[in-house]
Amino acid sequence: MNYRVFLPFSVCGATLWGGGVTLLGAWLGHYDFIRENIEPIFLLIVFVSILPGIIGAAKKFLDARRAGAAAEAPEAPEAAPAS
C-alpha cells in the first residue's frame, strides 16, 4: 500500500480508537457494577484474548503425544490361517 494512502487512514483510525476507548470508559464508569468489578472484567478480557493460543498449543501437544504413542505401539500379530 502506498504510504500516502496509508498515513491518513492510520491517523484517523488511531484518533477514533483512542477517543472511542476513552469515551467508552467514561460512559461505562457511571455504572456501579462496572466500577466495582473492573479488575475481574479486565482479567476476563485478557483470558478470552489468550484462549485461542492456549487451545492451539493444547491441540498441538495432544496431537504430538498421540502420534508418539501410535509410533511406539507394537503391531498386532497376524492371525494364524484357519485349517
Side-chain angles (χ1 to χ4, degrees), residues 23-70:
L23 291 174
L24 181 65
W27 178 68
L28 289 175
H30 289 98
Y31 295 100
D32 291 333
F33 177 79
I34 302 287
R35 193 175 323 125
E36 294 170 3
N37 297 305
I38 194 70
E39 282 188 37
I41 292 170
F42 282 156
L43 291 174
L44 179 66
I45 291 170
V46 169
F47 178 72
V48 169
S49 298
I50 64 172
L51 192 59
I54 293 171
I55 292 171
K59 283 183 180 180
K60 190 173 185 179
F61 173 76
L62 292 174
D63 288 344
R65 188 172 170 183
R66 288 184 191 126

Side-chain angles (χ1 to χ4, degrees), residues 67-78:
E72 293 176 5
E75 294 183 19
E78 294 183 25

